[in-house]
Amino acid sequence: MSNYKCLLFLFCLALNVLPSQVQGQRRVRDNIPLDSIRLSDPCILADQKTEMYYMTGTGGWLWKSKDLKNWSGPYRVVETDPDSWMGERPAIWAAELHHYQGKYYNFATFTNNDIIIDTVAETKVPRRASHVLVSDQADGPYKPIGNEDYLPENWATLDGTFWVDKDGKPYMVFCHEWLQTGDGTMEKILLKDDLSGTVGESKLLFLASDSPWSRGRKDGKVVPNVVTDGPYLFSTETERLGMIWTSWVFDEYTQGVAYSKSGTLDGPWIQEEKPITPPNFGHGMLFQTFDGKWLMAAHSHRDENGRYIRIPHLFEVDLSGDQLVIVQPYVP
């Protein structure tokens, strides 16, 4: 995929997900089928406490469901400080919900387009960073905690996700954006015990160009793609550590998987040869239903008159062996 098309995609995405602070509260509707919801980067938390499924994603809104079939929403659940680096109108991307040590955490990417941190090949790079918010309830409200800067303020970072490694410590895994680096990276950084900040510097896990399946074109030649997007960690029943993540195969948004040879975040990370989802599905995550079934949530997108339409989908997956296997689409 050309840099121009990548920029166009990101631009359209930004236009499509104005922050909740600007939009105000939308009209809440009930009994919405999943395929009628327009949402990118879907993330579903199966909350044992309330026996409710909570879905969020880009835009930061929240949907609720008892059965994964009918949903109510959207609810405004994110509260940011206009005096912080996020500013008054941050765009919200790729929000995730995680339950940890009795609290609920919202890992999300915020963009303040009024602050330019870099210019690369005449492209202005805005202030964009993964940040952590907290709530006592699964349905919020979620508010920022701890330090203003989880990650270097002169880095464009996105799609932070959460993992407790074998050392028992919490980490954020995130992307350093290709717009700034030229070759997107996947990184890890240690979090404080209460997730209120980070400790030390991040460590490189792998580059976008390490992938054998993601491809693009440059000067008429086929080259590795440079986009890293949407990491999510999982463990198989054999305790093999894996990471799903998304890039592009030419013009198709596609998801692949990598496995850690050491079984920890330190890797080395071995990329699978082929994607694991059909073309045009990506930014996935995994969760377990209340009856024990493992599912993947991901989104597809299509172009309707120049506007990207994103639709969440569910897939049944098998983690019983030493690798992730997508079994079939899941219809609640």
Side-chain angles (χ1 to χ4, degrees):
M1 182 180 186
S2 68
N3 286 350
Y4 170 78
K5 287 184 178 179
C6 285
L7 288 170
L8 178 61
F9 173 78
L10 292 172
F11 177 71
C12 291
L13 177 61
L15 289 181
N16 194 41
V17 291
L18 290 174
S20 58
Q21 289 88 340
V22 176
Q23 295 174 341
Q25 180 63 58
R26 296 177 179 177
R27 181 173 65 89
V28 173
R29 296 178 295 152
D30 296 321
N31 298 318
I32 310 171
L34 184 66
D35 60 6
S36 295
I37 296 174
R38 300 297 175 256
L39 177 69
S40 59
D41 313 331
C43 181
I44 296 175
L45 171 70
D47 182 46
Q48 296 290 340
K49 180 180 178 181
T50 59
E51 297 184 347
M52 182 80 73
Y53 297 102
Y54 298 93
M55 180 172 66
T56 188
T58 284
W61 297 88
L62 189 74
W63 283 260
K64 304 177 185 180
S65 176
K66 282 287 188 181
D67 57 9
L68 295 174
K69 182 176 181 180
N70 297 303
W71 297 81
S72 66
Y75 300 92
R76 177 180 173 177
V77 297
V78 173
E79 297 181 7
T80 59
D81 180 0
D83 295 325
S84 72
W85 66 266
M86 298 178 190
E88 294 183 358
R89 300 177 177 180
I92 303 173
W93 291 2
E96 294 184 0
L97 300 181
H98 297 272
H99 185 236
Y100 181 66
Q101 294 187 346
K103 290 186 178 293
Y104 296 87
Y105 293 90
N106 188 320
F107 282 61
T109 301
F110 298 88
T111 300
N112 185 342
N113 287 303
D114 293 330
I115 300 176
I116 304 301
I117 62 170
D118 203 351
T119 300
V120 181
E122 300 183 355
T123 297
K124 293 182 178 180
V125 180
R127 181 73 190 275
R128 177 176 297 129
S130 294
H131 201 89
V132 182
L133 297 81
V134 67
S135 176
D136 291 325
Q137 307 295 330
D139 57 357
Y142 288 90
K143 300 180 182 181
I145 57 173
N147 301 331
E148 287 197 353
D149 298 322
Y150 276 71
L151 301 168
E153 63 179 322
N154 61 343
W155 281 22
T157 59
L158 69 160
D159 294 356
T161 191
F162 179 62
W163 187 251
V164 177
D165 212 1
K166 285 189 174 180
D167 59 6
K169 297 178 180 179
Y171 291 85
M172 179 193 290
V173 173
F174 66 95
C175 304
H176 191 177
E177 193 169 27
W178 68 272
L179 283 173
Q180 189 175 33
T181 63
D183 191 354
T185 74
M186 200 68 73
E187 316 249 348
K188 75 158 190 175
I189 194 166
L190 178 65
L191 293 168
K192 294 181 179 179
D193 290 342
D194 62 357
L195 312 191
S196 63
T198 53
V199 180
E201 298 181 350
S202 64
K203 176 183 177 180
L204 174 67
L205 302 183
F206 59 83
L207 300 168
S209 60
D210 291 338
S211 164
W213 55 264
S214 60
R215 289 290 179 265
R217 287 190 177 91
K218 184 176 182 180
D219 300 327
K221 297 180 180 180
V222 175
V223 296
N225 204 285
V226 296
V227 175
T228 47
D229 186 82
Y232 201 87
L233 284 302
F234 66 93
S235 179
T236 68
E237 290 187 15
T238 60
E239 298 186 355
R240 189 183 187 194
L241 178 62
M243 180 196 304
I244 50 177
W245 66 285
T246 303
S247 190
W248 295 82
V249 178
F250 303 113
D251 292 338
E252 298 285 358
Y253 194 60
T254 308
Q255 183 171 251
V257 64
Y259 293 97
S260 169
K261 190 172 182 179
S262 68
T264 72
L265 288 177
D266 287 327
W269 288 90
I270 310 301
Q271 306 290 334
E272 292 288 278
E273 290 291 327
K274 297 181 179 180
I276 60 168
T277 53
N280 198 36
F281 288 89
H283 204 113
M285 59 80 58
L286 303 175
F287 69 99
Q288 197 168 21
T289 64
F290 295 127
D291 60 1
K293 188 183 298 293
W294 278 101
L295 300 181
M296 173 188 289
H299 78 258
S300 66
H301 72 256
R302 64 176 184 262
D303 190 337
E304 290 186 357
N305 299 318
R307 182 169 180 260
Y308 281 96
I309 305 299
R310 299 165 191 83
I311 303 171
H313 299 265
L314 297 177
F315 294 89
E316 184 178 343
V317 300
D318 182 4
L319 294 174
S320 62
D322 65 353
Q323 62 182 355
L324 167 66
V325 177
I326 295 181
V327 179
Q328 61 188 0
Y330 178 77
V331 180

